[in-house]
Amino acid sequence: MDLRIFTEPQQGADYDTLLTVAKATEDLGFDAFFRSDHYLKMGDADGLPGPTDAWITLAGLARETSRIRLGTLMTAATFRLPGVLAIQVAQVDRMSGGRVELGLGAGWFAQEHEAYGIPFPKEKFGRLEEQLEIVTGLWATEVGKTYDFDGTYYQLKDSPALPKPAQGRVPVLIGGHGARRTPRLAARYADEFNMPFSSVEDTAAQFGRVRDAVAEAGRPADALTYSNALVVCVGRDDQEVARRAAAIGREVDELKTNGLAGTPAEVVEKIGRYAEVGSTRLYLQVLDLDDLDHLELISDKVQSQLP
């Protein structure tokens, strides 16, 4: 089971804070550092000092880390034109020596689009599908050849399809709860399917739909990695769990139901339940980015007990 650290900087974190967490992620043996791609805080957080751009952040971290994978859960297709996104991701991948992964979603948070003047079209899923085809198509085009695309939402003509990522094809993550279109899209374009903030039972059902779609698409059954994103709140005892839950404005019982919360033994047991339904990678949503002792505890008492 791979453990990855997943952050939500729009809630209030500057680049220096993210760099500190990313370096701790690397030093403590976690597999990757991922971040959300949002421009507006959610809930009661003050969001200070303001948002950071996901791909600018990852470009910086690419030069200041050496081992961990780096990526987004999820970049919104509404934020960037697909040709520009392909260039950005390929460049950051080269800056990192081939350690980048692209999570790409349709975009859902209308208020952040309104706040920063970003168009929020009604038909988002069709745009996402075209973005996936364009981005992967640009990367796959042989050097010296050009790429053309004539879609409903995007048109490219005689693109040199440069630059190329360092790793050839950047792994693409697709996720979500949709029962029909999402599995089909994942089966066609994804290297990994991510089920965000869901129970073991709902995860098992969605993984089954994606596996069926993969088979229908003619891809090997093991073509995709299956993963979950879950909020994490671990403590050495009940008092420490309660303190960490209070620090992020959550209730312990709710966290235990909807996330990975409790003592290390409790969390390891629940991780095992996700593993039983096919999850081999977990994105641990860490909401208090100043609590590095939390990461140390997870590394020492949880990660060390996983196969």
Side-chain angles (χ1 to χ4, degrees):
M1 178 69 73
D2 293 333
L3 296 187
R4 296 180 159 190
I5 301 303
F6 170 42
T7 63
E8 301 274 7
Q10 76 278 355
Q11 298 302 96
D14 60 14
Y15 175 76
D16 288 337
T17 298
L18 296 173
L19 174 60
T20 298
V21 175
K23 286 186 171 180
T25 298
E26 185 157 87
D27 292 343
L28 293 170
F30 294 105
D31 182 61
F33 174 93
F34 270 60
R35 59 156 293 163
S36 60
D37 193 358
H38 287 294
Y39 292 131
L40 193 67
K41 61 98 173 177
M42 302 169 196
D44 295 331
D46 59 26
L48 297 174
T52 51
D53 182 84
W55 286 101
I56 292 176
T57 297
L58 295 176
L61 298 181
R63 306 303 288 180
E64 300 196 70
T65 59
S66 60
R67 178 189 60 80
I68 51 173
R69 307 289 293 177
L70 301 165
T72 52
L73 279 183
M74 299 282 186
T75 284
T78 49
F79 285 179
R80 298 167 180 87
L81 296 171
V84 173
L85 180 62
I87 291 169
Q88 290 173 320
V89 176
Q91 181 181 1
V92 177
D93 190 57
R94 296 181 74 89
M95 293 170 69
S96 73
R99 294 184 285 124
V100 161
E101 303 183 12
L102 170 63
L104 189 60
W108 62 270
F109 191 18
Q111 290 95 322
E112 68 185 337
H113 293 74
E114 295 170 0
Y116 287 97
I118 303 168
F120 191 64
K122 181 178 180 180
E123 177 45 63
K124 292 180 288 295
F125 201 89
R127 285 177 167 81
L128 171 62
E129 186 162 12
E130 289 193 7
Q131 286 226 3
L132 285 162
E133 184 166 345
I134 291 165
V135 170
T136 57
L138 287 168
W139 291 337
T141 300
E142 294 181 21
V143 175
K145 295 187 177 180
T146 59
Y147 177 82
D148 294 274
F149 182 83
D150 186 16
T152 302
Y153 307 104
Y154 305 104
Q155 294 79 38
L156 287 76
K157 184 171 179 60
D158 295 331
S159 173
L162 297 171
K164 300 302 183 193
Q167 56 189 316
R169 175 185 166 87
V170 171
V172 172
L173 290 72
I174 294 173
H177 302 84
R180 183 177 60 85
R181 293 196 296 178
T182 297
R184 176 182 58 79
L185 210 60
R188 182 173 180 184
Y189 294 105
D191 300 282
E192 178 177 337
F193 179 78
N194 180 264
M195 189 62 169
F197 311 111
S198 299
S199 68
V200 173
E201 295 74 20
D202 289 345
T203 294
Q206 185 71 330
F207 282 1
R209 297 183 192 104
V210 175
R211 290 191 186 97
D212 288 345
V214 168
E216 291 173 8
R219 296 178 69 184
D222 60 354
L224 270 64
T225 295
Y226 293 86
S227 65
N228 288 87
L230 294 161
V231 63
V232 66
C233 181
V234 185
R236 295 170 181 83
D237 52 36
D238 291 344
Q239 291 73 26
E240 191 168 79
V241 174
R243 176 177 64 78
R244 288 203 163 103
I248 60 174
R250 303 281 285 270
E251 297 292 332
V252 172
D253 289 345
E254 178 268 323
L255 286 170
K256 287 187 176 184
T257 298
N258 298 316
L260 297 173
T263 64
E266 290 177 291
V267 171
V268 168
E269 186 277 331
K270 191 164 186 182
I271 288 174
R273 291 165 56 196
Y274 282 96
E276 288 173 359
V277 300
S279 186
T280 62
R281 179 173 291 158
L282 293 177
Y283 294 82
L284 306 179
Q285 186 194 44
V286 177
L287 296 177
D288 185 353
L289 299 183
D290 295 318
D291 186 2
L292 297 183
D293 181 62
H294 193 197
L295 299 185
E296 293 177 8
L297 177 64
I298 296 167
S299 173
D300 184 41
K301 300 299 184 183
V302 176
Q303 183 167 242
S304 63
Q305 297 186 55
L306 301 176

